[in-house]
Amino acid sequence: MRELVFIHGAGGAIDDPEFGSEQLIAFVKRELAQDYRIRTPLMPSPEEPHAIAWLDALDFELVDFPDDGVLVGHSMGGAMILKFIAERRPSLTAAGLVMIACPFWGKPNWEVEEFYLPDGFADRLSGLKRILLYHSRDDAIVPFAHMAVYHKHIPRAQVHEVDGAGHAFARGNRRIVVSGIRSL
């Protein structure tokens, strides 16, 4: 069995059906449990996240991550996985990273320095065999345009524009994410 680590988003309501990660995580588990050993650690203080605490938690969670493993991050979870690899573990090797509705910190209204990615961060992602970006056009939390900023920095990333899934991918075609994970 392959390993999959899914890092949830931030906010006070992980279980909120419109904004939280819980329904998406449950869906991924139902669809992939036969083929993947899935871990979904609770990150520290998701209602008031701090970069250092999340990076330290990822240090612990990904200590012996297998080369054929898959990383999945929803919203803040995906942004923090990317920051972790770029700042702390550029040698991390994985079959892929799936980023779902992730904010690009530093854009207007997303200016919180502790979450910024370092300059040239994309050069530190060579251990990731593939990077998949998913974002729904109707995301009411993270602007859809953030995905284009990631793609500008990581041109090899595969972009998947989705309609009707909202921020939490709790509705619409969630199978597209599962298909992407299976493709890694």
Side-chain angles (χ1 to χ4, degrees), residues 149-177:
V149 178
Y150 276 115
H151 194 236
K152 178 183 172 191
H153 287 278
I154 315 167
R156 69 182 179 100
Q158 296 171 315
V159 171
H160 299 273
E161 299 177 359
V162 179
D163 289 312
H167 179 68
F169 276 63
R171 59 185 187 277
N173 183 11
R174 295 183 290 182
R175 293 197 187 286
I176 191 170
V177 173

Side-chain angles (χ1 to χ4, degrees), residues 27-154:
F27 179 77
V28 168
K29 283 181 174 180
R30 278 192 309 274
E31 294 291 314
L32 298 174
Q34 287 187 300
D35 301 316
Y36 291 84
R37 186 174 41 259
I38 301 171
R39 292 189 295 125
T40 58
L42 180 62
M43 299 305 282
S45 303
E47 67 286 347
E48 193 174 315
H50 294 282
I52 295 296
W54 280 46
L55 294 173
D56 289 346
L58 287 169
D59 252 334
F60 176 78
E61 290 297 332
L62 302 177
V63 71
D64 289 321
F65 196 72
D67 291 354
D68 69 341
V70 175
L71 299 164
V72 180
H74 174 240
S75 194
M76 174 70 92
M80 291 307 295
I81 291 170
L82 206 58
K83 184 172 178 67
F84 171 76
I85 294 169
E87 290 185 0
R88 294 201 179 179
R89 190 99 48 89
S91 63
L92 187 133
T93 303
L97 168 61
V98 178
M99 297 177 61
I100 306 160
C102 296
F104 192 92
W105 295 96
K107 295 296 294 170
N109 299 317
W110 293 87
E111 300 149 329
V112 181
E113 278 191 51
E114 71 176 296
F115 300 123
Y116 287 9
L117 290 163
D119 290 339
F121 73 90
D123 297 335
R124 300 176 189 158
L125 307 176
S126 62
L128 296 173
K129 292 177 184 84
R130 290 179 55 209
I131 300 170
L132 309 179
L133 305 174
Y134 293 87
H135 212 117
S136 185
R137 288 181 183 87
D138 69 338
D139 189 330
I141 301 297
V142 177
F144 180 71
H146 284 220
M147 183 171 64
V149 178
Y150 276 115
H151 194 236
K152 178 183 172 191
H153 287 278
I154 315 167

